Amino acid sequence: MFNAVPRQHTTWFRLSGGFLGSEVVLAVGGVALTLVVGLRRRRFRHLVVGLATAAASVVAAELLKHVLLSRPSTAAPAAVSNSFPSGHTAVAAAVTVALWFVVSPRWRPAVVIVGGLLCALVGVVTVVQQWHRPSDAVSAYALVAACACAGGAALVPWQGPPDRGSPGATAN
C-alpha cells in the first residue's frame, strides 16, 4: 500500500497542498524573472536557449506521462496510476534551469542552491500529497537535466573564441 502521510489532516499536509496548487504561479513567475534578467543583461541567446530548454522539459514530461509511458497498476491511489514523470517537479526544475542560463556566472551558485532547494521541496511535497511516487520526481530531475545538457550544447556554436588574455585561456 502506498502511504505517504498517515494523517492527512495535519498542518503539513494542508500547507503542502496549497504549495502544489501554485504550479502556474511558479511557472509564470519563473518565466517572467528569466525574461527580465535575460533582457536586462542582454543575454538574448541564453534567454532563447533557457526558455526553450524549460519549455522542452515540461512538454517532454507531459508527453511521456500522458502519451508514451504507462505504469503498472499498484495499490496506489488512482491519482498516481499514470504519474511518471512528475510535471510539478519538472516545472520547478525547468524554471531553475532557465534562470541559470541567463544569470551571470557569479550568480549561478545562488540560483543552483535556491532552485535546488525549491526542486527538492516540490519533489517531496508531491510524494507527501500522494500525487507521485519518488521515482516520478527523480525522473523529472533527470529529464530536465538532459534537456539542460542539450541546451548547453546548443549554446556552444554561439560562443566566440576564448579571450587570449583571460586567466582560463590557453596559448597555442
Side-chain angles (χ1 to χ4, degrees):
M1 182 71 178
F2 183 74
N3 286 323
V5 176
R7 301 185 69 189
Q8 296 182 359
H9 62 281
T10 63
T11 303
W12 168 252
F13 193 84
R14 281 183 268 132
L15 288 174
S16 62
F19 177 72
L20 285 181
S22 62
E23 178 187 25
V24 173
V25 173
L26 174 66
V28 171
V31 168
L33 182 60
T34 300
L35 281 168
V36 167
V37 172
L39 293 173
R40 190 150 195 249
R41 293 196 38 78
R42 300 177 142 205
R43 296 187 68 151
F44 303 118
R45 294 174 183 158
H46 292 80
L47 178 62
V48 169
V49 169
L51 292 176
T53 298
S57 299
V58 173
V59 168
E62 294 303 312
L63 284 175
L64 286 170
K65 181 177 7 185
H66 297 295
V67 178
L68 300 172
L69 300 176
S70 64
R71 298 291 297 259
S73 181
T74 64
V80 294
S81 61
N82 187 21
S83 60
F84 186 84
S86 167
H88 283 79
T89 308
V91 167
V95 164
T96 300
V97 165
L99 190 57
W100 183 88
F101 271 111
V102 298
V103 299
S104 70
R106 181 177 64 151
W107 284 98
R108 287 181 180 162
V111 168
V112 168
I113 291 169
V114 172
L117 290 172
L118 174 67
C119 292
L121 179 64
V122 170
V124 167
V125 167
T126 59
V127 173
V128 166
Q129 287 287 328
Q130 299 180 3
W131 289 11
H132 290 287
R133 298 170 174 125
S135 61
D136 299 342
V138 172
S139 65
Y141 301 139
L143 176 64
V144 175
C147 290
C149 289
L155 277 175
V156 171
W158 282 338
Q159 301 298 317
D163 181 13
R164 297 292 179 199
S166 68
T170 58
N172 288 332

